[in-house]
């Protein structure tokens, strides 16, 4: 890497020495070298804390820490020695801070005490915890209806905090529990629940050891789930076929040098990961999966016994495949028939196949259809409930799956509400609540006036930034439980609170002693997490304690012993065990080494759907004109290597060869020529939608190996381009990976 060359293609494998160097730098920048290093030894270990990075499962049999550069960044940024103090807020007004880049807000370090917004001076000033809780309680109790309050959750919240939080919200009287899942894997849940009777993935890490082929759609593990590369490397070395579909050639999916393998580190070129790499056009995966399924059916390669015993809808599905023409499949996928047939044959030749997918699949208008087509493909060959096979939606936040299991969901089932109400002796509200998009609309239209966020960065993570900012500003009160300063604290309601909480790495001391929390990873393993660093400030409360004290202040009539429950988190877990399926004997089972696995019925070929069988779903392809809306380009908004969602650690995207800048737009060389643009030129990106145009300015064009008609830029800078009503059918996941846009020369240039 050269410091003064912004675009410099990266020739090395993912991982390797540069990953070590970058980790070291992250620790140094946060001034946590000694503490950070010992902290890391406890990440994802049987008696340590769950890494606040991603939801990829742990190999808890290992005795040394599992190295992951981006895990190091996440931990270093939480364990930082930098602090945001009351003096900092006194010195900087909110309007001044609003001018700062998000990255610089994050770089100020950990929040240290509760703060309240003072409109007179336009500064945040300290408030004591009781005062803060009373303020929230008063605002909530003054609302004409509990449905005018919104309770958002990001996916780092522990099971214990999430369970108490949803209980508080429901005792208060609403199901308005939008969460980051609404923007993430919602489409996976909707698609798989309908088809297989469970919205979760069915595979475990052991299946990765047994698979003969692993297909990876729309996912960039080299950056977002680096520990997955370790599994892929092992699989590739034993001859497992790894087949990738991604418009970009992501380095981590091509080659990986495991920093824990001397051979990889000294060899230079690392281990080859993908055995086949296909670059479909953005949004082409429905056509890809349809084509693979068509070949399987037409070559008679189906598992007829499985289909007869466990599925319904096959005949109709098979005839829809036969009726789909190859020229449609080629045009819609952006791949040739020969490529699609080749990939299909790899699938047919594999006795056990795992299908993985990420945001490149879920954040599209037709994501539910695409995921159902992927599941159709699995069902055709009985690739579920067989060792080494099954669906693997790779989750994002470290406990996003657990939060849903605990009831953070705006559409709870009647059976769940019955159990919750019976256990805590109250009548839970039955009407479904707002998801993320509906919550923004409600705040915007004045139908909701209090916004409470358990973590996350709502103002920056959500689509249609201008609308979201207006929506939050119209609120009477906005409250954020946070570890770090972010945009959402500066885009506030008439009243606003920042409530600072403990992070995963910190000791959580309650009346009965230090507490552990639990989390559920992407493969349904539930395990303990206990921090070992002293809290960033003695003013911090744990998330469960914040919920309990807020509930006690807001609901004096509640029969739930809120403060008693948080004295000892075992008490919360005992209640979870009585309400949530699969958590019997929670306290003893979670203490077994490595925790326990939540049963996935599909592993035993049980499919608790309406019909009792797994169901095939046909999804016709729309013609190119309809699905592409006649616009010039399709833009996908993705993560760089130096960010965690809205948290920008640095300005490099090493594997894609970008250094020192984030406003880039990757574009195909032929498109550049056709438009008469030069590589390096600055452009404005304009999305065109029924309600008007939205523009973001000053993006540097980068000639890149990306299909024609496709563009890529980083989120959140481009969220302003995504209209609120541009979202997945049924799942309502914002379609952040398929934004219809045109380019114009930047006026700023
Ligand atoms: N370091 C780090 N780790 C993270 C995160 C982070 O920001 N930083 N975020 C966490 C969260 S919440 C999540 S959800 C996950 C996200 O992890 P990913 O799902 O890997 O997220 P993205 O970076 O959005 O990458 C999407 C990938 O899909 C590809 N893609 C885009 N559109 C299409 C398409 O139409 N078809 C196909 N086949 N591919 C497409 C892109 O080229 C890119 O490689 O990571 C989690 N882990
Ligand atoms: N255009 C576009 N938009 C997207 C996406 C995309 O790919 N493209 N991806 C979407 C996806 S997949 C997701 S998951 C969302 C993410 O949406 P969010 O989950 O809302 O956003 P994050 O950036 O992960 O939240 C970061 C903040 O969480 C707080 N935090 C960190 N750790 C803790 C903790 O332990 N406790 C508490 N209480 N707070 C903590 C810190 O204050 C930090 O500033 O964004 C979505 N938005
Ligand atoms: Mo996510």
């Amino acid at each position: 890497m050269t410091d003064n060359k912004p675009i410099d293609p990266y020739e090395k494998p993912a991982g390797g020495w540069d990953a070590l160097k970058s980790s070291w730098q992250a620790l140094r920048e946060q001034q946590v070298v000694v503490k950070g290093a010992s902290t890391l030894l406890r990440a994802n270990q049987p008696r340590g804390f769950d890494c606040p990075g991603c939801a990829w499962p742990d190999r808890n049999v290992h005795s040394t820490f599992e190295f992951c550069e981006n895990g190091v960044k996440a931990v270093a940024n939480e364990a930082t020695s930098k602090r945001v103090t009351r003096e900092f807020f006194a010195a900087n007004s909110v309007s001044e801070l609003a001018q700062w880049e998000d990255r610089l807000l994050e770089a100020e370090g950990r929040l240290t005490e509760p703060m309240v917004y003072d409109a007179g001076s336009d500064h945040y000033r300290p408030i004591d915890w009781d005062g803060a809780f009373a303020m929230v309680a008063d605002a909530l109790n003054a609302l004409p209806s509990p449905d005018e309050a919104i309770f958002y959750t990001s996916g780092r919240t522990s099971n214990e905090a999430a369970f108490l939080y949803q209980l508080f919200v429901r005792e208060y009287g609403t199901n308005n529990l939008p969460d980051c899942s609404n923007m993430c894997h919602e489409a996976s849940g909707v698609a798989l629940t309908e088809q297989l009777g469970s919205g979760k993935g069915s595979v475990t890490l052991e299946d990765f050891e047994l698979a003969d082929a692993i297909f990876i759609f729309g996912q960039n593990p080299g950056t977002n789930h680096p520990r997955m590369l370790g599994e892929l490397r092992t699989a590739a070395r034993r001859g497992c076929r790894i087949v990738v579909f991604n418009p970009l050639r992501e380095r981590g999916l091509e080659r990986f040098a495991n920093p824990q393998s001397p051979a990889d580190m000294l060899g230079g070129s690392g281990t080859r990961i993908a055995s086949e790499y296909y670059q479909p056009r953005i949004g082409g995966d429905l056509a890809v999966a349809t084509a693979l399924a068509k070949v399987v059916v037409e070559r008679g390669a189906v598992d007829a016994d499985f289909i007869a015993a466990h599925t319904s809808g096959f005949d109709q599905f098979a005839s829809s495949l036969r009726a789909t023409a190859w020229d449609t499949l080629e045009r819609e996928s952006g791949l040739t028939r020969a490529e699609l047939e080749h990939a299909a044959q790899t699938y047919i030749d594999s006795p056990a196949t795992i299908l993985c997918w990420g945001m490149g699949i879920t954040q599209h208008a037709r994501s539910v259809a695409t995921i159902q087509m992927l599941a159709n493909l699995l069902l055709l060959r009985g690739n579920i409930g067989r060792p080494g096979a099954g669906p693997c939606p790779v989750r994002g936040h470290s406990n996003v799956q657990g939060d849903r299991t605990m009831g953070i969901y705006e559409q709870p089932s009647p059976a769940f509400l019955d159990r919750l109400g019976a256990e805590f002796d109250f009548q839970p509200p039955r009407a479904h609540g707002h998801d993320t998009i509906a919550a923004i609309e409600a705040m915007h239209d004045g139908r909701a006036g209090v916004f409470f966020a358990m973590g996350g960065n709502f103002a920056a993570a959500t689509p249609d930034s201008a609308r979201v900012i207006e929506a939050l500003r119209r609120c009477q009160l906005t409250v954020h439980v946070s570890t770090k300063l972010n945009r959402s604290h500066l885009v506030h309601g008439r009243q606003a609170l920042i409530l600072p909480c403990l992070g995963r790495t910190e000791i959580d001391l309650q009346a009965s002693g230090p507490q552990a929390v639990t989390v559920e990873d992407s493969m349904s393993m539930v395990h303990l997490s206990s921090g070992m660093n002293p809290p960033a400030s003695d003013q911090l409360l744990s998330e469960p304690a914040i919920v309990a004290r807020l509930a006690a202040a807001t609901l004096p009539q509640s029969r739930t012993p809120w403060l008693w429950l948080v004295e000892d988190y075992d008490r919360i877990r005992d209640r979870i065990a009585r309400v949530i399926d699969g958590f019997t004997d929670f306290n003893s089972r979670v203490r077994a080494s490595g925790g326990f696995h939540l049963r996935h019925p599909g592993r035993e070929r049980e499919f608790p759907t309406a019909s009792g069988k797994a169901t095939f779903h046909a999804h016709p392809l729309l013609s190119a004109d309809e699905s592409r809306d006649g616009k010039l380009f399709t833009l996908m908004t993705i993560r760089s290597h130096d960010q965690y969602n809205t948290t920008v650690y640095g300005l490099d995207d090493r594997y894609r060869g970008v250094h020192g800048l984030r406003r880039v737009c990757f574009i195909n060389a032929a498109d550049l020529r056709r438009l008469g643009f030069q590589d390096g030129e600055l452009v404005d990106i304009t999305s065109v939608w029924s309600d008007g145009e939205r523009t973001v300015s000053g993006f540097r064009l980068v000639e890149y190996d990306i299909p024609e008609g496709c563009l890529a830029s980083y989120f959140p800078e481009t969220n302003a381009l995504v209209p609120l009503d541009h979202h997945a059918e049924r799942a309502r996941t914002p379609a952040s990976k398929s934004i219809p846009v045109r380019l114009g020369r930047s006026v700023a240039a």
Side-chain angles (χ1 to χ4, degrees):
M1 149 173 143
T2 14
D3 284 337
N4 47 13
K5 225 171 147 192
I7 308 297
D8 192 8
Y10 192 71
E11 305 299 343
K12 296 180 232 176
W17 296 107
D18 286 345
L20 289 177
K21 206 164 76 187
S22 150
S23 313
W24 177 248
Q25 202 177 328
L27 291 169
R28 207 179 44 206
E29 277 168 13
Q30 300 306 322
Q31 299 159 12
V32 283
V33 177
V34 177
K35 189 167 80 173
S38 63
T39 304
L40 285 167
L41 291 170
R42 300 283 285 273
N44 292 335
Q45 289 304 301
R47 277 180 309 283
F49 61 89
D50 183 65
C51 176
C54 69
W56 189 257
D58 326 323
R59 285 257 166 210
N60 56 55
V61 288
H62 291 180
S63 58
T64 55
F65 82 96
E66 283 192 72
F67 175 79
C68 161
E69 174 194 350
N70 282 348
V72 173
K73 288 183 205 158
V75 170
N77 275 262
E78 186 175 297
T80 178
S81 58
K82 301 180 188 169
R83 298 289 179 269
V84 176
T85 59
R86 56 171 73 185
E87 289 76 23
F88 171 84
F89 284 113
N92 298 283
S93 73
V94 172
S95 315
E96 282 161 0
L97 290 173
Q99 305 302 316
W100 289 30
E101 275 179 52
D102 295 43
R103 183 170 61 92
L104 300 177
L105 299 173
E106 160 76 20
E108 286 298 318
R110 291 286 299 276
L111 295 160
T112 48
E113 61 181 320
M115 303 297 292
V116 62
Y117 179 65
D118 177 46
S121 66
D122 187 36
H123 282 260
Y124 274 102
R125 62 172 167 73
I127 181 172
D128 62 29
W129 279 104
D130 284 335
F133 293 132
M135 192 169 159
V136 184
D138 287 349
L140 289 175
N141 287 324
L143 286 177
S145 153
D147 290 331
E148 293 187 24
I150 309 284
F151 297 90
Y152 176 70
T153 315
S154 170
R156 275 194 193 178
T157 295
S158 66
N159 288 334
E160 289 72 13
F163 182 78
L164 288 189
Y165 183 52
Q166 60 83 33
L167 174 64
F168 159 62
V169 171
R170 293 190 166 116
E171 284 198 26
Y172 167 68
T174 182
N175 284 309
N176 283 344
L177 284 160
D179 67 350
C180 67
S181 267
N182 293 146
M183 298 181 270
C184 187
H185 266 293
E186 190 72 64
S188 306
V190 169
L192 297 179
T193 303
E194 183 175 59
Q195 234 173 339
L196 307 176
S198 165
K200 299 180 183 178
S202 73
V203 302
T204 64
L205 282 184
E206 287 63 48
D207 292 311
F208 272 74
E209 293 167 9
L210 301 169
D212 300 290
I214 300 169
F215 280 56
I216 302 170
F217 292 85
Q219 206 213 325
N220 181 23
T223 286
N224 298 314
H225 304 89
R227 286 177 298 123
M228 180 177 176
L229 292 189
E231 304 299 330
L232 295 177
R233 173 182 175 275
T234 309
R237 289 173 89 94
R238 65 174 172 75
C240 174
R241 309 287 295 170
I242 296 177
V243 182
V244 172
F245 290 90
N246 197 312
L248 303 182
R249 293 194 71 89
E250 303 286 24
R251 180 54 44 86
L253 291 166
E254 295 182 309
R255 282 181 289 133
F256 173 54
N258 184 351
Q260 277 163 333
S261 154
D264 272 10
M265 293 300 274
L266 298 174
S269 61
T271 298
R272 178 173 168 185
I273 302 294
S275 41
E276 294 166 40
Y277 206 121
Y278 302 101
Q279 291 174 269
R281 73 172 185 85
I282 294 173
D285 305 86
L286 177 57
V288 170
T290 305
L292 301 192
K294 179 180 170 75
V295 178
V296 172
V297 167
E298 290 183 353
R299 292 188 183 170
V302 300
D303 180 340
D305 293 343
F306 176 85
I307 290 172
H310 300 292
T311 71
S312 67
F314 172 73
D315 292 339
Q316 204 195 346
F317 174 60
S319 50
S320 81
L321 293 175
R322 290 196 186 90
T324 309
W326 273 107
D327 60 346
T328 308
L329 293 169
E330 289 189 308
R331 188 184 64 228
E332 291 305 306
S333 67
L335 299 175
T336 64
R337 177 172 179 170
E339 288 172 310
L340 293 164
E341 286 187 335
H342 190 82
Q345 193 59 46
T346 303
Y347 180 62
I348 291 170
D349 291 340
S350 158
T353 304
I354 293 174
L355 299 190
C356 303
W357 67 91
M359 296 301 102
I361 295 298
T362 63
Q363 295 175 338
H364 289 285
R366 301 202 70 201
S367 53
V368 173
T370 306
I371 293 158
Q372 292 200 329
M373 198 56 71
L374 293 175
N376 288 334
L377 192 56
L378 288 170
L379 292 176
L380 283 178
R381 293 190 41 79
N383 271 316
I384 177 158
R386 167 190 292 165
C392 181
V394 182
R395 306 277 163 180
H397 270 298
S398 53
N399 197 40
V400 63
Q401 186 162 318
D403 289 347
R404 274 289 166 94
T405 306
M406 292 298 122
I408 302 288
Y409 188 31
E410 78 282 354
Q411 301 175 45
S413 72
F416 168 77
L417 293 177
D418 289 345
R419 287 196 302 275
L420 191 70
E423 175 65 26
F424 293 95
D425 199 10
F426 77 110
Q427 290 295 331
R430 299 278 158 171
H432 286 175
H434 294 317
D435 62 12
T436 293
I437 290 175
I440 297 166
E441 286 165 344
M443 291 187 278
H444 196 265
D445 303 348
R447 286 177 287 116
V450 174
F451 175 81
F452 187 101
M454 182 56 81
N457 187 0
F458 194 85
T462 47
D464 221 345
S465 314
R467 278 279 277 291
V468 173
I469 290 168
E470 280 173 9
L472 290 167
R473 290 206 194 287
R474 286 179 188 172
C475 284
Q476 179 207 322
L477 172 67
T478 51
V479 187
H480 289 89
V481 179
S482 310
T483 51
K484 288 291 192 72
L485 189 61
N486 67 39
R487 183 65 40 194
S488 300
H489 305 132
L490 310 175
V491 178
H492 54 80
R494 284 190 293 284
Q495 294 181 298
L497 286 163
I498 302 175
L499 306 181
C501 67
L502 293 173
R504 281 276 171 77
T505 53
E506 290 166 328
I507 298 165
D508 179 353
L509 195 60
Q510 301 297 335
S512 68
Q515 305 295 315
V517 294
T518 62
V519 292
E520 174 185 339
D521 66 31
S522 194
M523 296 184 187
S524 305
M525 282 296 301
V526 181
H527 58 93
L528 284 170
S529 169
S530 38
M532 19 68 82
N533 289 336
S537 139
D538 58 10
Q539 295 284 305
L540 303 184
L541 292 184
S542 75
E543 291 182 351
I546 289 173
V547 176
R549 289 179 58 178
L550 176 60
T554 311
L555 309 169
Q557 75 288 5
S558 169
R559 283 185 277 269
T560 302
W562 293 103
L563 302 176
W564 178 81
L565 283 172
V566 288
E567 286 176 2
D568 180 348
Y569 294 177
D570 277 3
R571 295 172 187 166
I572 308 174
R573 284 186 283 271
D574 283 340
R575 297 301 189 101
I576 292 174
R578 294 216 282 267
V579 174
I580 312 276
D581 277 342
F583 284 80
T584 317
D585 283 335
F586 190 5
N587 270 309
S588 56
R589 280 159 74 216
V590 81
R591 285 186 166 83
S593 173
F596 62 93
H597 186 251
L598 288 172
R599 176 175 180 269
H600 189 293
R603 291 182 72 82
E604 285 127 55
R605 297 194 160 174
E606 275 176 35
F607 300 102
T609 58
S611 67
K613 298 208 165 185
T615 48
F616 285 100
H617 287 256
H619 292 289
L621 291 162
L622 300 176
S623 84
D625 284 342
E626 274 175 276
S627 59
R628 249 176 259 156
D629 212 14
K631 297 295 167 345
L632 217 42
F633 288 101
T634 304
L635 171 74
M636 56 177 173
T637 58
I638 56 178
R639 291 154 171 80
S640 87
H641 194 63
D642 270 2
Q643 76 183 83
Y644 193 92
N645 297 337
T646 66
T647 301
V648 175
Y649 301 131
L651 299 177
D652 295 348
D653 190 8
R654 191 170 74 238
Y655 301 147
R656 300 195 188 107
V658 176
H659 300 287
L661 73 170
R662 284 183 50 85
R663 291 178 98 79
V664 292
C665 179
F666 298 109
I667 183 169
N668 179 286
D671 286 331
L672 265 184
R673 276 198 304 277
R674 188 166 51 80
L675 294 178
F677 286 138
Q678 304 288 318
D679 177 77
E681 203 168 330
L682 292 186
V683 292
D684 293 350
I685 309 175
T686 300
S687 68
V688 191
W689 203 247
S690 47
D691 66 348
E693 299 191 342
R694 292 162 175 78
T695 298
V696 292
S697 307
F699 283 72
R700 182 191 164 112
L701 288 173
V702 177
E703 183 183 319
Y704 208 76
D705 183 1
I706 181 172
E708 276 182 66
C710 300
L711 302 173
S713 289
Y714 304 130
F715 109 93
E717 288 83 346
T718 43
N719 287 31
L721 295 173
V722 191
L724 269 196
D725 58 357
H726 182 39
H727 55 64
E729 290 164 6
R730 296 170 60 209
R732 294 165 50 89
T733 315
S736 314
K737 297 282 194 275
S738 53
I739 315 171
V741 298
R742 57 179 160 70
L743 299 178
R745 243 175 217 102
S746 201
V747 266

